[in-house]
Structure formats: structure tokens, C-alpha cells
Amino acid sequence: VAKENAKNCYALYTPEMHEKSLKFLDMEKDLRNALSNKEFILYYQPLINLKTGKIIGLEALIRWLHPKKGMIAPNEFIPFAEGSSAIIDIGEWVIHEACRQLKQWYDMGLPQVYIAINLSARQLRHQDITDKIIHIVNEMGIDGGNLLFEITENVAMHDLRQSIHTLNMLKSVNMRIALDDFGTGYSSLNYLKKLPIDMIKIDKSFVQDITKHHDEKFIAKTIIDLAHNMDVIVTAEGIETENQYKILREYDCDLGQGYLFSKPLPAEEIEELLLSGKGFTV
Ligand code: C2E
Ligand code: MG
Ligand code: MG
Ligand code: MG
């Protein structure tokens, strides 16, 4: 069967595919060049305590400032980076840069917030990941408790035992783990129970449904109750309207993130926001 499959693969290998793989190689080269030319930048989006309206964390979100194409969103290049080892180096840069920024804000005396960093599957599976993270944190003089790592359901499913081991290592130095885009993956509740997570982030699609018909809006409420029953904090992603905010507060959702509060902003603007001590109570 394997032989037959292999044969079929050859038969299916069209000129377009060849072009695609060349383009892919180009992309990897471009990404590596971008890294050495310092074309990546981190934006930060505030995470709000829905009860107090205070900023308690910031999610680091990468952008590519391309010299010709302008600002490129992560969805346009992270999937390519994830297809190669480029994601390891880009991911390491993200962790390093986020920690450097956090340390700078700390030294400036800004109110303490945690930083959330997205980890992709390949990074989580990488042998040295915990050593690297701990090395960076020590180098920067940061407390592990100020870092939170976001993974998606599918990321951890790749190799459950190895993932759990890595996550536990991070937790042993006080770092926290969030399950991102919750509800959009393929995980079962059994699997959810096994992961050592501190937070669930409800995907924005369910937040958008919240003001719709009853059978759609109750998904968000169900996720919130599930998380609380598991002793896990819940964050709602993609809050855009005051109505969504109001309902989520009624549902007892802990934290929120979305354009209603703030878009992802460059570091200087986050600085102003933190300095102003501005809250977001509606
Ligand atoms: P994510 O981790 O789920 O991040 C949330 C995304 O939702 C961000 O998109 C954010 O700008 C967007 N968002 C926030 N509030 C709202 C809202 O109210 N409405 C809407 N419609 N969208 C909102 P962004 O920055 O384009 O990032 C997209 C994805 O790229 C992220 O999704 C994450 O999966 C990935 N990504 C970003 N930075 C990194 C990184 O440093 N490493 C890795 N591995 N992935 C990253
Ligand atoms: Mg995220
Ligand atoms: Mg998300
Ligand atoms: Mg998302």
C-alpha cells in the first residue's frame, strides 16, 4: 500500500506544486532575512479584568514591518514559519523581545502586568524550549510569574505526553499556560482534563454569537462554567461591543480582550496607557 501511495504521490506532483514548494522555500529565506534585518515588531493587546476594568496583562502579537509591503499580519506569515524551523528562531525572538520589554517597563516603574506569548506546535515540541525560556528569563531578570504561554488545543494534541511534560516544566518556574481559541479545535474533554492549564480563552467566534439566538449564545456560558468547575480562569477574546461585555460579566467571565477596550498597540502607546492608569469600566 505504501508503495502505491508513493506512486500516487509522484503522479500528483504537478508543476504547480513544484512552484508552491519553491515559493515556500523563498518564504523561509525571507523570514530568516527579516529576522536578521530586525523587521519584526511586537504589538501588545491589553487583557482586562472584567470585574474591575483594570489592565492585568498584555498579549504579545507579532507583526512584520516589510520594507516594501508595509505591515504584514501574523496570519499571513506565521503559518509559513510553522512549516519550517524558522518558527523556532522567530519564536525565540518573540520570547526574548517580550521579556526585554517587560523588564524595561518594570524598571520604569509602570504598573505590573503579565505578558502572554503565543507558542506554536513546533516550538512546544522543540527539545530545548524550556531551557531556552528559562535562560532568557534569567538573563533578563524577570519573574516567571509574569509570563503566560498560549497554546491551542491542536498544538498540544500532537504529542500529548511530551507537551504535558514541557508545560509542567514551565509551570514549575511559576509560568502559566492558557488554552487559546478554545472551542475551535478537536480536543475532547478527557484531553482537556489532562492538560496542566491555568486559563481558557474563549474563541472570538463564540463571543460574537453571544448576542444572537439562545442556542448559540449559551456556548460561551457553558465554556465559562466548565472552566470554573475545573478551577481555571476564563478570558473572552474579541469583545467588540458594550453589550458583549455586559453579558460576559453577567456570565461571570473573568478576563476580556478585544477592540472595545483596545486594539493591539505598539509598545510606546501601551506605555502611555499603563501610565494613565486608565480603566475600562462601562
Ligand atoms: P490569537 O493568539 O488568537 O490572537 C488574537 C487575535 O485576535 C489577534 O490577531 C488580535 O489582534 C485579534 N483581536 C483582538 N481583539 C479583537 C476583536 O475585538 N475583534 C477581532 N476581530 N479581532 C481581535 P493578530 O494579531 O492578527 O494575530 C493572529 C494570530 O497570529 C494570533 O491569534 C496567533 O495565533 C498568531 N500569532 C500572533 N503573534 C504570534 C507569535 O508571536 N507567535 C506565534 N506562534 N503566533 C502568533
Ligand atoms: Mg493568543
Ligand atoms: Mg486566540
Ligand atoms: Mg485566534
Side-chain angles (χ1 to χ4, degrees):
V1 179
K3 230 181 195 172
E4 241 167 46
N5 278 342
K7 244 198 203 149
N8 285 339
C9 278
Y10 273 108
L12 285 170
Y13 196 82
T14 60
E16 294 94 79
M17 274 173 82
H18 182 61
E19 206 154 273
K20 231 183 189 171
S21 68
L22 278 183
K23 215 170 150 190
F24 189 82
L25 279 179
D26 259 9
M27 185 61 151
E28 184 179 351
K29 213 174 103 224
D30 289 351
L31 288 168
R32 291 195 177 280
N33 281 337
L35 197 55
S36 53
N37 295 339
K38 301 187 189 328
E39 289 168 13
F40 293 116
I41 182 171
L42 292 184
Y43 273 40
Y44 300 88
Q45 188 179 33
L47 284 122
I48 313 299
N49 177 327
L50 293 184
K51 277 148 205 146
T52 63
K54 288 239 165 70
I55 300 176
I56 67 146
L58 299 167
E59 180 173 359
L61 295 157
I62 196 170
R63 272 95 183 90
W64 181 359
L65 283 179
H66 195 283
K68 290 204 188 87
K69 296 176 194 152
M71 186 146 92
I72 305 179
N75 287 336
E76 286 177 55
F77 65 89
I78 288 291
F80 284 99
E82 283 172 342
S84 77
S85 62
I87 192 63
I88 301 295
D89 299 312
I90 294 172
E92 196 179 326
W93 176 82
V94 170
I95 298 165
H96 199 275
E97 174 59 15
C99 290
R100 187 202 60 76
Q101 187 62 71
L102 188 66
K103 174 73 168 127
Q104 189 184 324
W105 283 333
Y106 181 78
D107 288 345
M108 287 169 72
L110 288 178
Q112 276 221 39
V113 291
Y114 71 84
I115 293 210
I117 296 171
N118 293 283
L119 280 187
S120 67
R122 217 176 171 120
Q123 273 181 286
L124 192 69
R125 268 182 291 151
H126 197 68
Q127 282 301 319
D128 310 330
I129 182 78
T130 36
D131 286 350
K132 276 211 178 121
I133 291 172
I134 292 168
H135 178 81
I136 292 172
V137 161
N138 289 339
E139 182 193 345
M140 295 290 162
I142 283 175
D143 191 304
N146 289 326
L147 290 189
L148 177 147
F149 289 95
E150 300 192 359
I151 58 164
T152 60
E153 297 159 273
N154 303 343
V155 159
M157 226 165 14
H158 267 294
D159 185 345
L160 190 57
R161 270 186 50 209
Q162 173 64 30
S163 299
I164 291 174
H165 178 73
T166 302
L167 298 178
N168 277 329
M169 295 272 281
L170 296 176
K171 284 176 66 82
S172 73
V173 287
N174 292 329
M175 295 169 191
R176 289 175 298 159
I177 313 296
L179 207 49
D180 204 356
D181 304 340
F182 186 76
T184 60
Y186 298 102
S187 66
S188 69
L189 292 178
N190 182 43
Y191 160 87
L192 181 65
K193 199 178 69 185
K194 286 186 180 142
L195 285 176
I197 52 166
D198 304 279
M199 182 191 287
I200 282 177
K201 297 185 79 174
I202 306 176
D203 190 70
K204 47 179 169 283
S205 57
F206 302 116
V207 172
Q208 264 137 35
D209 284 345
I210 217 170
T211 47
K212 289 189 192 156
H213 306 292
H214 179 75
D215 54 337
E216 281 162 4
K217 76 194 243 183
F218 98 115
I219 295 179
K221 172 67 176 148
T222 304
I223 298 174
I224 292 165
D225 291 343
L226 171 76
H228 286 160
N229 286 331
M230 292 175 58
D231 249 337
V232 161
I233 292 175
V234 204
T235 299
E237 292 190 307
I239 304 177
E240 293 180 354
T241 68
E242 293 198 1
N243 203 15
Q244 288 165 350
Y245 180 22
K246 212 184 108 234
I247 295 171
L248 285 161
R249 247 190 340 193
E250 281 165 14
Y251 284 178
D252 209 23
C253 186
D254 305 295
L255 310 180
Q257 178 179 4
Y259 297 164
L260 173 67
F261 308 114
S262 169
K263 291 198 166 182
L265 299 170
E268 312 82 65
E269 287 176 51
I270 287 291
E271 232 160 83
E272 285 170 31
L273 198 61
L274 290 177
L275 277 172
S276 75
K278 195 177 149 235
F280 292 95
T281 12
V282 179

